[in-house]
Short mmCIF file of all heavy atoms in Angstrom, two decimals:
data_model
loop_
_atom_site.label_atom_id
_atom_site.label_comp_id
_atom_site.label_asym_id
_atom_site.label_seq_id
_atom_site.Cartn_x
_atom_site.Cartn_y
_atom_site.Cartn_z
N ARG A 28 -17.00 8.77 17.32
CA ARG A 28 -17.63 7.93 18.35
C ARG A 28 -17.46 8.55 19.73
O ARG A 28 -18.36 8.56 20.54
CB ARG A 28 -17.01 6.53 18.32
CG ARG A 28 -17.46 5.70 17.13
CD ARG A 28 -16.94 4.28 17.23
NE ARG A 28 -17.45 3.45 16.16
CZ ARG A 28 -17.19 2.16 16.03
NH1 ARG A 28 -16.38 1.56 16.91
NH2 ARG A 28 -17.70 1.47 15.04
N GLY A 29 -16.30 9.06 19.99
CA GLY A 29 -16.04 9.66 21.29
C GLY A 29 -16.89 10.89 21.51
O GLY A 29 -17.16 11.28 22.64
N ALA A 30 -17.33 11.54 20.43
CA ALA A 30 -18.12 12.76 20.55
C ALA A 30 -19.58 12.45 20.86
O ALA A 30 -20.32 13.34 21.25
CB ALA A 30 -18.02 13.57 19.26
N GLU A 31 -20.01 11.20 20.67
CA GLU A 31 -21.39 10.84 20.97
C GLU A 31 -21.65 10.92 22.47
O GLU A 31 -20.75 10.71 23.29
CB GLU A 31 -21.69 9.42 20.46
CG GLU A 31 -21.55 9.25 18.96
CD GLU A 31 -22.57 10.06 18.17
OE1 GLU A 31 -23.50 10.62 18.79
OE2 GLU A 31 -22.44 10.14 16.95
N LYS A 32 -22.90 11.20 22.82
CA LYS A 32 -23.28 11.34 24.21
C LYS A 32 -24.40 10.38 24.58
O LYS A 32 -25.25 10.06 23.73
CB LYS A 32 -23.73 12.77 24.51
CG LYS A 32 -22.66 13.83 24.32
CD LYS A 32 -23.22 15.22 24.59
CE LYS A 32 -22.16 16.29 24.37
NZ LYS A 32 -22.71 17.65 24.57
N VAL A 33 -24.38 9.95 25.81
CA VAL A 33 -25.47 9.14 26.37
C VAL A 33 -25.88 9.80 27.68
O VAL A 33 -25.06 10.00 28.58
CB VAL A 33 -25.03 7.69 26.63
CG1 VAL A 33 -26.09 6.94 27.44
CG2 VAL A 33 -24.77 6.96 25.32
N ALA A 34 -27.16 10.18 27.78
CA ALA A 34 -27.66 10.82 29.00
C ALA A 34 -28.09 9.75 30.00
O ALA A 34 -28.65 8.71 29.61
CB ALA A 34 -28.83 11.75 28.68
N THR A 35 -27.83 9.97 31.27
CA THR A 35 -28.22 9.01 32.30
C THR A 35 -28.84 9.73 33.49
O THR A 35 -28.47 10.87 33.81
CB THR A 35 -27.01 8.19 32.81
OG1 THR A 35 -26.10 9.05 33.50
CG2 THR A 35 -26.30 7.49 31.67
N ILE A 36 -29.78 9.05 34.13
CA ILE A 36 -30.32 9.51 35.41
C ILE A 36 -30.45 8.30 36.33
O ILE A 36 -30.42 7.14 35.87
CB ILE A 36 -31.70 10.20 35.25
CG1 ILE A 36 -32.74 9.21 34.70
CG2 ILE A 36 -31.60 11.42 34.39
CD1 ILE A 36 -34.15 9.77 34.68
N GLN A 60 -29.22 17.66 24.16
CA GLN A 60 -27.82 17.24 24.07
C GLN A 60 -27.56 16.38 22.83
O GLN A 60 -26.42 15.99 22.58
CB GLN A 60 -27.44 16.44 25.32
CG GLN A 60 -27.46 17.25 26.62
CD GLN A 60 -26.18 18.00 26.84
OE1 GLN A 60 -25.19 17.82 26.13
NE2 GLN A 60 -26.17 18.88 27.84
N ALA A 62 -28.36 13.34 22.50
CA ALA A 62 -27.83 12.09 23.05
C ALA A 62 -28.33 10.89 22.26
O ALA A 62 -29.42 10.91 21.67
CB ALA A 62 -28.24 11.95 24.52
N CYS A 64 -29.17 8.08 23.56
CA CYS A 64 -30.29 7.52 24.30
C CYS A 64 -30.28 8.08 25.72
O CYS A 64 -29.31 8.73 26.12
CB CYS A 64 -30.24 5.98 24.34
SG CYS A 64 -28.76 5.33 25.16
N LEU A 65 -31.35 7.84 26.44
CA LEU A 65 -31.42 8.18 27.86
C LEU A 65 -31.49 6.87 28.64
O LEU A 65 -32.39 6.06 28.43
CB LEU A 65 -32.66 9.02 28.16
CG LEU A 65 -32.95 9.25 29.65
CD1 LEU A 65 -31.85 10.09 30.30
CD2 LEU A 65 -34.32 9.92 29.85
N ILE A 66 -30.52 6.68 29.53
CA ILE A 66 -30.50 5.47 30.36
C ILE A 66 -31.00 5.82 31.76
O ILE A 66 -30.46 6.72 32.41
CB ILE A 66 -29.08 4.88 30.45
CG1 ILE A 66 -28.59 4.47 29.06
CG2 ILE A 66 -29.05 3.68 31.39
CD1 ILE A 66 -27.15 3.96 29.03
N GLN A 68 -31.25 4.41 35.34
CA GLN A 68 -30.85 3.37 36.29
C GLN A 68 -31.90 3.30 37.39
O GLN A 68 -32.08 4.25 38.13
CB GLN A 68 -29.48 3.70 36.88
CG GLN A 68 -28.37 3.78 35.84
CD GLN A 68 -27.04 4.12 36.45
OE1 GLN A 68 -26.45 3.33 37.18
NE2 GLN A 68 -26.53 5.32 36.15
N ASP A 200 -22.33 -3.75 34.30
CA ASP A 200 -22.16 -2.37 34.73
C ASP A 200 -22.49 -1.45 33.56
O ASP A 200 -22.91 -1.90 32.49
CB ASP A 200 -20.75 -2.12 35.25
CG ASP A 200 -19.67 -2.53 34.25
OD1 ASP A 200 -19.94 -2.48 33.02
OD2 ASP A 200 -18.56 -2.91 34.67
N MET A 201 -22.28 -0.16 33.76
CA MET A 201 -22.64 0.82 32.73
C MET A 201 -21.81 0.64 31.46
O MET A 201 -22.35 0.73 30.33
CB MET A 201 -22.48 2.24 33.28
CG MET A 201 -22.89 3.34 32.33
SD MET A 201 -24.64 3.27 31.85
CE MET A 201 -25.41 3.77 33.39
N ASN A 202 -20.51 0.39 31.60
CA ASN A 202 -19.67 0.19 30.41
C ASN A 202 -20.13 -1.02 29.61
O ASN A 202 -20.15 -0.99 28.37
CB ASN A 202 -18.21 0.05 30.82
CG ASN A 202 -17.61 1.35 31.32
OD1 ASN A 202 -18.03 2.43 30.90
ND2 ASN A 202 -16.63 1.26 32.22
N ASP A 203 -20.45 -2.08 30.32
CA ASP A 203 -20.94 -3.29 29.64
C ASP A 203 -22.26 -3.00 28.93
O ASP A 203 -22.50 -3.48 27.82
CB ASP A 203 -21.12 -4.41 30.68
CG ASP A 203 -21.48 -5.74 30.04
OD1 ASP A 203 -21.05 -5.98 28.89
OD2 ASP A 203 -22.19 -6.54 30.68
N LEU A 204 -23.11 -2.21 29.58
CA LEU A 204 -24.40 -1.86 28.96
C LEU A 204 -24.18 -1.06 27.69
O LEU A 204 -24.82 -1.32 26.65
CB LEU A 204 -25.24 -1.07 29.96
CG LEU A 204 -26.60 -0.58 29.44
CD1 LEU A 204 -27.50 -1.76 29.07
CD2 LEU A 204 -27.29 0.30 30.48
N LEU A 205 -23.28 -0.07 27.72
CA LEU A 205 -23.02 0.74 26.53
C LEU A 205 -22.48 -0.10 25.39
O LEU A 205 -22.82 0.10 24.21
CB LEU A 205 -22.03 1.86 26.88
CG LEU A 205 -22.53 2.95 27.84
CD1 LEU A 205 -21.43 3.96 28.13
CD2 LEU A 205 -23.75 3.65 27.28
N THR A 206 -21.63 -1.07 25.74
CA THR A 206 -21.08 -1.96 24.71
C THR A 206 -22.18 -2.80 24.06
O THR A 206 -22.23 -2.97 22.83
CB THR A 206 -20.02 -2.89 25.32
OG1 THR A 206 -18.97 -2.09 25.87
CG2 THR A 206 -19.44 -3.83 24.28
N THR A 220 -23.14 3.82 20.90
CA THR A 220 -22.88 4.06 22.32
C THR A 220 -21.51 3.59 22.78
O THR A 220 -21.09 3.93 23.89
CB THR A 220 -23.94 3.34 23.17
OG1 THR A 220 -23.93 1.93 22.86
CG2 THR A 220 -25.33 3.90 22.91
N SER A 221 -20.82 2.83 21.98
CA SER A 221 -19.51 2.33 22.40
C SER A 221 -18.52 3.50 22.52
O SER A 221 -18.24 4.20 21.54
CB SER A 221 -18.99 1.31 21.39
OG SER A 221 -17.74 0.80 21.79
N GLY A 222 -18.01 3.73 23.72
CA GLY A 222 -17.09 4.82 23.95
C GLY A 222 -17.74 6.18 24.04
O GLY A 222 -17.04 7.21 24.05
N ALA A 223 -19.07 6.22 24.11
CA ALA A 223 -19.77 7.51 24.17
C ALA A 223 -19.53 8.20 25.52
O ALA A 223 -19.24 7.56 26.53
CB ALA A 223 -21.26 7.30 23.96
N THR A 224 -19.64 9.52 25.51
CA THR A 224 -19.50 10.30 26.73
C THR A 224 -20.79 10.24 27.54
O THR A 224 -21.88 10.46 27.00
CB THR A 224 -19.18 11.77 26.41
OG1 THR A 224 -17.98 11.82 25.64
CG2 THR A 224 -19.03 12.59 27.68
N ILE A 225 -20.68 9.92 28.82
CA ILE A 225 -21.86 9.82 29.68
C ILE A 225 -22.15 11.19 30.29
O ILE A 225 -21.29 11.82 30.89
CB ILE A 225 -21.64 8.79 30.80
CG1 ILE A 225 -21.47 7.39 30.19
CG2 ILE A 225 -22.80 8.80 31.79
CD1 ILE A 225 -21.16 6.32 31.21
N VAL A 226 -23.39 11.65 30.11
CA VAL A 226 -23.83 12.93 30.64
C VAL A 226 -24.88 12.67 31.72
O VAL A 226 -25.97 12.18 31.42
CB VAL A 226 -24.42 13.83 29.54
CG1 VAL A 226 -24.91 15.15 30.13
CG2 VAL A 226 -23.40 14.08 28.44
N ASP A 227 -24.55 12.97 32.95
CA ASP A 227 -25.49 12.79 34.06
C ASP A 227 -26.45 13.98 34.12
O ASP A 227 -26.01 15.12 34.21
CB ASP A 227 -24.76 12.66 35.39
CG ASP A 227 -24.02 11.33 35.51
OD1 ASP A 227 -24.52 10.33 34.97
OD2 ASP A 227 -22.95 11.30 36.14
N VAL A 228 -27.73 13.69 34.07
CA VAL A 228 -28.75 14.74 34.24
C VAL A 228 -29.14 14.73 35.72
O VAL A 228 -29.88 13.86 36.18
CB VAL A 228 -29.98 14.48 33.35
CG1 VAL A 228 -31.00 15.61 33.53
CG2 VAL A 228 -29.56 14.36 31.89
N LYS A 229 -28.61 15.68 36.46
CA LYS A 229 -28.82 15.71 37.90
C LYS A 229 -30.21 16.26 38.25
O LYS A 229 -30.80 17.03 37.49
CB LYS A 229 -27.76 16.59 38.57
CG LYS A 229 -26.33 16.15 38.32
CD LYS A 229 -26.02 14.85 39.04
CE LYS A 229 -24.53 14.50 38.91
NZ LYS A 229 -24.21 13.22 39.57
#
Side-chain angles (χ1 to χ4, degrees):
R28 286 186 175 182
E31 299 294 351
K32 297 178 181 177
V33 170
T35 66
I36 62 173
Q60 295 276 351
C64 61
L65 171 66
I66 299 176
Q68 299 179 69
D200 54 29
M201 183 61 71
N202 289 331
D203 187 31
L204 177 62
L205 293 178
T206 300
T220 57
S221 181
T224 302
I225 296 176
V226 178
D227 289 326
V228 182
K229 301 290 187 182

